[in-house]
Amino acid sequence: MCFHTHGQLVEVYFEAIVAEKGKKFIWLEQSAHTFHPDNTGEIEILLNYELKFAMET
């Protein structure tokens, strides 16, 4: 559970965003305003996947 950001508020904001090419909500339990060291492996995988996807479109 994140103590820095209330998830419901973030979800409402995310749903309000209009993204013509799609959007993805990613929630990392250990990270808040900055990346947490425990999430570095997961973040690296996510960023590489998104970069690959962006390059294909």
Side-chain angles (χ1 to χ4, degrees):
M1 181 171 172
C2 178
F3 296 102
H4 300 285
T5 307
H6 194 281
Q8 187 177 20
L9 294 175
V10 175
E11 188 175 1
V12 168
Y13 176 73
F14 176 79
E15 292 300 327
I17 295 171
V18 176
E20 293 178 12
K21 293 188 176 184
K23 58 187 176 180
K24 184 185 297 184
F25 187 85
I26 300 171
W27 188 271
L28 301 170
E29 290 294 327
Q30 299 298 320
S31 294
H33 301 285
T34 60
F35 295 139
H36 190 279
D38 290 349
N39 291 129
T40 55
E42 187 175 0
I43 292 165
E44 182 179 4
I45 291 168
L46 290 167
L47 291 175
N48 284 329
Y49 173 79
E50 293 300 326
L51 179 59
K52 179 182 175 188
F53 177 75
M55 294 175 76
E56 291 174 357
T57 58

